[in-house]
Amino acid sequence: MHIKTNHLLTFAILLLAVIAYLSVSRPLRFEDQRKEREQVVKVRLLTIRNAAEHYRADSGHYANSFDQLVNAHYLTDSLRFVPYSDGEPFHLAAAIQTTMLGEDEPLMECGAEYSQYLKGLAEDEVSRLTEQAVERGAYPGLCIGSLTENNHNAGNWE
């Protein structure tokens, strides 16, 4: 009887140790995967920014769609899609803002939401990140540029 109790206690201790390890390692694995995926998305956004700025230099305004960038040979078609998203496109928009001096200023914004490039990872962690961004009034993911102010197409991570 005493040996059975020792085995049960040993098993219970091992089970608790495994549960403790998993509760600590899950968030760490999520953060590692998030960082890895964000690096890939950032590179793609920087490529899009470069193409959009070349388009603007040649045309005087930003492209309203990826089709414009692709058809004008500034970007290959495959770069419009968010990595890890199962083929979802980046959000791309352009606008003209009138400055206080009355001059028209072209603006652009391109981004990928957490739900796109973190697809397949811990949904509760993705939801938490999204909620935190919304609470701060920030873009819920990675983006370049802004449709409300000229930030010189900086990335929200820069």
Side-chain angles (χ1 to χ4, degrees), residues 10-40:
T10 302
F11 177 75
I13 290 170
L14 288 173
L15 182 63
L16 289 173
V18 168
I19 291 171
Y21 171 78
L22 292 175
S23 69
V24 171
S25 70
R26 181 176 177 241
L28 294 175
R29 282 194 319 264
F30 175 81
E31 282 303 312
D32 288 345
Q33 291 172 326
R34 174 186 169 197
K35 288 177 185 175
E36 181 181 312
R37 289 183 179 201
E38 284 186 345
Q39 188 58 39
V40 174

Side-chain angles (χ1 to χ4, degrees), residues 13-142:
I13 290 170
L14 288 173
L15 182 63
L16 289 173
V18 168
I19 291 171
Y21 171 78
L22 292 175
S23 69
V24 171
S25 70
R26 181 176 177 241
L28 294 175
R29 282 194 319 264
F30 175 81
E31 282 303 312
D32 288 345
Q33 291 172 326
R34 174 186 169 197
K35 288 177 185 175
E36 181 181 312
R37 289 183 179 201
E38 284 186 345
Q39 188 58 39
V40 174
V41 173
K42 288 174 186 177
V43 168
R44 180 82 47 100
L45 283 168
L46 293 174
T47 302
I48 293 168
R49 176 172 66 188
N50 188 43
E53 289 176 350
H54 279 94
Y55 183 94
R56 178 186 177 222
D58 292 344
S59 68
H61 60 84
Y62 287 109
N64 286 317
S65 71
F66 281 104
D67 287 339
Q68 289 175 304
L69 292 172
V70 170
N71 292 340
H73 304 291
Y74 290 97
L75 199 64
T76 60
D77 189 53
S78 63
L79 295 179
R80 75 172 69 205
F81 301 107
V82 178
Y84 310 103
S85 73
D86 293 330
E88 293 182 39
F90 282 93
H91 158 76
L92 176 67
I96 303 289
Q97 181 181 55
T98 303
T99 67
M100 292 183 1
L101 299 174
E103 298 173 353
D104 286 342
E105 181 174 54
L107 301 173
M108 66 84 66
E109 181 178 275
C110 182
E113 294 187 5
Y114 294 124
S115 62
Q116 291 178 296
Y117 66 86
L118 297 177
K119 187 175 278 187
L121 300 183
E123 290 181 23
D124 57 329
E125 292 291 329
V126 175
S127 294
R128 182 184 57 78
L129 287 172
T130 301
E131 289 171 16
Q132 288 174 346
V134 169
E135 287 173 6
R136 290 190 321 270
Y139 187 85
L142 294 172

